[in-house]
Amino acid sequence: MLSLETNKVLESIAKMDVSAHFMEVCGTHTVSIARSGLKKLLPESIKLISGPGCPVCVTSQSDIDYAIALARQPGVIVATFGDMVRVPGTETSLLETKASGGKVEVVYSPLDSLNLAEAHPREQVVFLAVGFETTAPLIARTVQLAKAKGISNLSFLIMHKLIPPAMRQLLQMKEVKLDGFLLPGHVCAVIGSRPFLFLKEEFGLPGVVAGFEAEDILLALFMLAQQKKEGRAEIEIQYRRVVRQEGNPNALKAMEEVFEVGEAEWRGLGIIPHSGLVLRQSFSDFDARNRFSLEIKDSREYPLCGCGEVLRGVLAPQECPLFGTVCTPDSPVGPCMVSSEGSCAAAFHYERET
Amino acid sequence: MKKEIITLAHGSGGKPTQDLIENHILPRFGNPALKQLLDSALLECPGRIAFTSDAFTVRPIFFPGGDIGKLAVSGSVNDLAALAAEPLFLSASFILEEGLEIGELDEVLESMSKTCAETGIALVTGDTKVVEKGAGDKLYIASSAIGIRRQNPDPHPSLISPGDAILITGPVGDHEIAVLQAREHFFRELELESDCAPLWPLIKSLLAAGLKVKAMRDPTRGGLATVLAELARASRLCLQIEESRVPVKSSVLAACEMLGLDPLYLACEGRMVIIVSEESAQEALTILRAHPLGAQAAIIGEVLEKPEGRALLSTRIGGRRILAPLSGEQLPRIC
């Protein structure tokens, strides 16, 4: 059943007769687009491409291996968001490590790791801090609380990433031709829309901050198509009910107090300077890498796994030679097939041919 | 006062075991077959029967809207009801973890007894075993049930034909979110209860009206989407539903949005997917809605000839996509 509004927007997009490739860089957008069947409703001349928007997926293989090595340490409990558990590392996954005796606890909020640490005073709890700017403020708050409460058996494996530097890297690599970005609503709720002005200034590309309902995304795509049609490149906000240009000052303050910007290794994109978060000196006691200093050797991704190319938008999930045959959600080869926000999982669940 | 707890002695087969059976179980389920305490229950079964088996390991054992006991009875009753079988006899084996408070066990037994009475099913045989602390999680229940088949032919995917209507007896996903809420102590403000309920009284009202049911499934693990995918595969037809017609409570939607879950894959424990002919659809809906267990029933879609063996969803904005069976676990130990 098509609602009148949706129909009108779709008609207007079709009438514009614009040919464009737009990229989304947020896993929640990827899932919402796939779940609603949006791609097939758009005119053929408008293509949607998924970028590096799934936090678990962009985590490097050596970081995954580090997390697994931690779970194998006697006396260590690894606390993690559920999506990480099934991601295959070089040899095994956290799930398999747990099944063979390692301690892995799934939590829904980083704050739960405080309770976990207090409940197990004789063990060391390590929280796997993955995510973009969306989860970073809450992790920052958790680190602050751990310090304030003097919790000495909790540390954090920080794998946090920043999305704007990854987008710049992607554009500099010039592998995919893009005409604009659907900007991530949740990230922008924290950092605002200003950090994306470089799209316009350095690359002459438009961006629209979008909400997460299919109707939000459709409207944002309309705004992008309109800019393309009129030859404009502005950073606009469709998700006005949540996002301000300047972001959320409280969240930014917590991040600023706990983290500083550093380099980070991304699956598919490699090491990008200024694209990650690291704990400031005053919180370095809480850095799991300092506390355990494990050495991870020979991290390798599964041969032929297309996750890297998929994350760069070079390869559509269905074009990966392993998609749906060797690699399925039941026996995933790469993280994009595991995470609920991964583009391969979304394509497998929602976009196979009807 | 010191709380009484289960110890390994309760599993010894001696006096404490006897005490458990005589003082905690028998008074609540005192039917003639059980009271004899023979090695097997001696029963008379008139006619064609359906027989089902299930195990329950939910954590926590108490959750808003239910508990593991209500869940065990409802689960068995609903598996029978899905085949239009009237529930008659139930068996229940209890695996108790050392240290379980006997007060908690009493509460579970009380709830089971009440749920049995609501449905008219009799607990006629059972067993108790005790495992060491740490070898279980408070209480597991394994149950089997026997029912009399009340529709001829039995509901079966092979009866489904193009044009048939697809109904659901109420909003989806309440159970899974309620259990999650109880386990993780969040979303308390949602005030959501599990839909856990024995559905035989509701299904009976359909059959009593002379309505022929083509197929039924209760959407437990894997939820509505998985059940539809399985029915589509078994019938070699296409089952298409409309997203906008599937009832989902706003609290469940809100929780799903926060956790990245899909409501169509959430487990229900008191809902039934029912397929009837197009002509009977409105009458079936009226009957369902007249019963408290089906007050929010809805016609959510129809059966098409093609694409063969597929379940499809027509989305709110008019897109069309496949409903594949659930892969992996959204959430472990919910039933």
Side-chain angles (χ1 to χ4, degrees):
Chain A
M1 223 182 320
L2 270 179
S3 72
L4 198 58
E5 280 301 301
T6 313
N7 226 346
K8 266 193 198 161
V9 180
L10 278 168
E11 268 174 31
S12 313
I13 294 178
K15 261 193 218 148
M16 272 189 261
D17 195 23
V18 165
S19 170
H21 291 184
F22 297 130
M23 176 177 269
E24 88 274 357
V25 287
C26 166
T28 314
H29 280 157
T30 306
V31 173
S32 187
I33 289 167
R35 234 186 228 181
S36 61
L38 186 58
K39 280 183 196 167
K40 285 202 176 144
L41 296 176
L42 292 170
E44 275 190 21
S45 59
I46 295 192
K47 291 263 180 288
L48 299 184
I49 301 169
S50 300
C54 154
V56 168
C57 307
V58 298
T59 303
S60 71
Q61 197 72 345
S62 57
D63 282 348
I64 304 276
D65 287 340
Y66 201 101
I68 293 167
L70 279 171
R72 284 176 166 174
Q73 296 287 305
V76 170
I77 303 175
V78 165
T80 173
F81 293 133
D83 270 11
M84 283 291 275
V85 173
R86 294 175 59 230
V87 174
T90 303
E91 281 171 8
T92 177
S93 66
L94 284 169
L95 188 71
E96 286 163 0
T97 308
K98 178 176 176 159
S100 50
K103 287 192 178 163
V104 179
E105 290 281 337
V106 171
V107 296
Y108 290 87
S109 159
L111 294 168
D112 294 340
S113 61
L114 294 169
N115 303 335
L116 202 60
E118 285 179 323
H120 298 88
R122 288 187 184 172
E123 286 163 295
Q124 282 288 333
V125 174
V126 184
F127 180 76
L128 305 184
V130 290
F132 295 116
E133 293 88 335
T134 23
T135 46
L138 192 55
I139 310 257
R141 189 72 197 119
T142 311
V143 176
Q144 285 174 327
L145 282 171
K147 186 167 182 175
K149 288 181 160 187
I151 299 178
S152 59
N153 64 330
L154 176 61
S155 59
F156 300 81
L157 185 65
I158 304 287
M159 298 171 274
H160 267 284
K161 310 240 180 330
L162 303 172
I163 197 77
M167 291 163 70
R168 179 183 277 116
Q169 174 87 355
L170 199 72
L171 289 168
Q172 283 167 348
M173 289 166 92
K174 292 189 180 148
E175 289 179 311
V176 268
K177 190 194 156 295
L178 294 174
D179 300 283
F181 283 89
L182 268 181
L183 297 175
H186 291 148
V187 167
C188 292
V190 175
I191 63 171
S193 58
R194 284 187 193 133
F196 295 93
L197 285 172
F198 75 93
L199 290 175
K200 155 190 176 175
E201 288 158 4
E202 294 173 35
F203 300 95
L205 288 177
V208 175
V209 181
F212 298 94
E213 298 296 331
E215 290 85 347
D216 287 321
I217 295 173
L218 193 56
L219 210 54
L221 287 171
F222 168 78
M223 291 163 75
L224 278 172
Q226 205 167 32
Q227 290 203 43
K228 166 87 180 165
K229 176 92 182 165
E230 294 166 5
R232 288 186 296 123
E234 304 293 339
I235 304 305
E236 297 177 329
I237 304 177
Q238 176 275 329
Y239 199 31
R240 290 209 171 271
R241 56 189 193 273
V242 175
V243 175
R244 314 246 167 292
Q245 274 188 359
E246 65 279 10
N248 177 338
N250 289 331
L252 287 169
K253 184 165 168 275
M255 270 169 77
E256 177 69 20
E257 280 168 7
V258 173
F259 295 118
E260 57 192 354
V261 173
E263 67 171 31
E265 188 186 353
W266 296 60
R267 186 181 301 261
L269 292 166
I271 293 174
I272 309 176
H274 316 299
S275 73
L277 295 175
V278 290
L279 287 170
R280 285 187 183 280
Q281 191 61 41
S282 47
F283 292 96
S284 60
D285 287 352
F286 290 93
D287 190 333
R289 292 178 202 271
N290 291 341
R291 202 169 286 186
F292 298 93
S293 51
L294 305 176
E295 209 177 317
I296 304 299
K297 282 187 201 154
D298 303 327
S299 277
R300 286 181 323 278
E301 290 168 26
Y302 188 92
L304 293 180
C305 172
C307 277
E309 287 77 15
V310 168
L311 288 165
R312 297 202 301 274
V314 179
L315 200 67
Q318 291 90 339
E319 292 165 358
C320 173
L322 309 181
F323 180 85
T325 53
V326 176
C327 183
T328 64
D330 287 325
S331 66
V333 159
C336 300
M337 191 57 98
V338 179
S339 172
S340 58
E341 300 201 321
S343 32
C344 295
F348 187 90
H349 284 304
Y350 302 129
E351 293 182 336
R352 279 180 298 166
E353 282 308 305
T354 53
Chain B
M1 201 182 84
K2 192 162 167 280
K3 282 180 180 156
E4 267 192 286
I5 57 167
I6 293 290
T7 65
L8 288 176
H10 287 104
S12 65
K15 176 89 175 48
T17 313
Q18 216 177 348
D19 172 72
L20 196 64
I21 293 167
E22 284 178 5
N23 296 329
H24 297 269
I25 298 178
L26 286 188
R28 294 187 169 93
F29 302 94
N31 55 71
L34 180 69
K35 272 189 178 156
Q36 293 188 57
L37 294 178
L38 300 176
D39 283 359
S40 303
L42 300 174
L43 310 167
E44 295 290 330
C45 269
R48 305 177 311 136
I49 66 164
F51 180 39
T52 182
S53 174
D54 218 333
F56 299 87
T57 62
V58 65
R59 178 167 62 106
I61 60 174
F62 298 99
F63 48 85
D67 57 79
I68 193 169
K70 183 181 182 186
L71 191 65
V73 178
S74 303
S76 295
V77 165
N78 295 348
D79 282 349
L80 292 174
L83 275 304
E86 177 179 355
L88 289 188
F89 305 120
L90 180 72
S91 83
S93 292
F94 297 85
I95 296 166
L96 310 172
E97 186 193 19
E98 195 184 8
L100 172 72
E101 284 176 24
I102 290 186
E104 289 187 299
L105 177 63
D106 279 337
E107 214 176 312
V108 169
L109 291 169
E110 195 61 41
S111 161
M112 285 183 83
S113 141
K114 190 165 157 263
T115 315
C116 284
E118 277 169 30
T119 324
I121 194 169
L123 180 79
V124 291
T125 184
D127 190 23
T128 58
K129 290 274 156 43
V130 179
V131 294
E132 281 169 47
K133 180 95 188 155
D137 190 359
K138 287 197 164 185
L139 167 57
Y140 298 148
I141 301 176
S143 66
S144 298
I146 291 174
I148 294 292
R149 288 142 68 190
R150 293 297 186 198
Q151 181 179 290
N152 200 351
D154 303 302
H156 193 274
S158 62
L159 300 181
I160 304 175
S161 46
D164 287 351
I166 306 168
L167 290 86
I168 180 97
T169 60
V172 297
D174 301 9
H175 175 71
E176 187 154 344
I177 299 296
V179 169
L180 184 59
Q181 188 183 9
R183 184 185 307 172
E184 305 295 339
H185 309 292
F186 50 48
F187 306 138
R188 285 245 165 107
E189 67 286 0
L190 293 182
E191 289 182 5
L192 185 70
E193 291 202 337
S194 162
D195 48 78
C196 174
L199 292 175
W200 171 246
L202 178 67
I203 303 307
K204 189 178 165 186
S205 68
L206 271 188
L207 302 176
L211 224 125
K212 287 277 177 242
V213 173
K214 296 216 177 181
M216 284 190 277
R217 286 291 304 271
D218 59 333
T220 53
R221 279 177 302 180
L224 176 61
T226 303
V227 159
L228 292 172
E230 287 169 1
L231 284 172
R233 196 171 51 192
S235 64
R236 296 191 189 154
L237 292 166
C238 167
L239 272 62
Q240 177 166 295
I241 60 165
E242 282 183 33
E243 188 175 27
S244 57
R245 295 170 78 171
V246 178
V248 189
K249 288 184 181 155
S250 57
S251 49
V252 170
L253 275 179
C256 281
E257 198 170 315
M258 286 189 64
L259 297 169
L261 299 173
D262 184 339
L264 297 179
Y265 287 88
L266 295 180
C268 312
E269 290 291 345
R271 305 289 181 233
M272 193 69 82
V273 175
I274 303 176
I275 298 184
V276 296
S277 68
E278 193 184 358
E279 306 81 64
S280 328
Q282 276 308 326
E283 193 193 347
L285 186 66
T286 311
I287 297 168
L288 290 173
R289 285 193 174 165
H291 196 283
L293 289 169
Q296 295 181 73
I299 298 174
I300 56 172
E302 60 178 331
V303 179
L304 308 173
E305 208 159 327
K306 293 210 155 122
E308 200 175 287
R310 296 283 202 197
L312 297 183
L313 176 78
S314 154
T315 69
R316 226 175 41 242
I317 62 161
R320 215 162 82 124
R321 67 166 165 88
I322 280 189
L323 291 174
L326 176 68
S327 49
E329 275 279 16
Q330 290 217 114
L331 181 69
R333 306 250 318 266
I334 50 177
C335 56

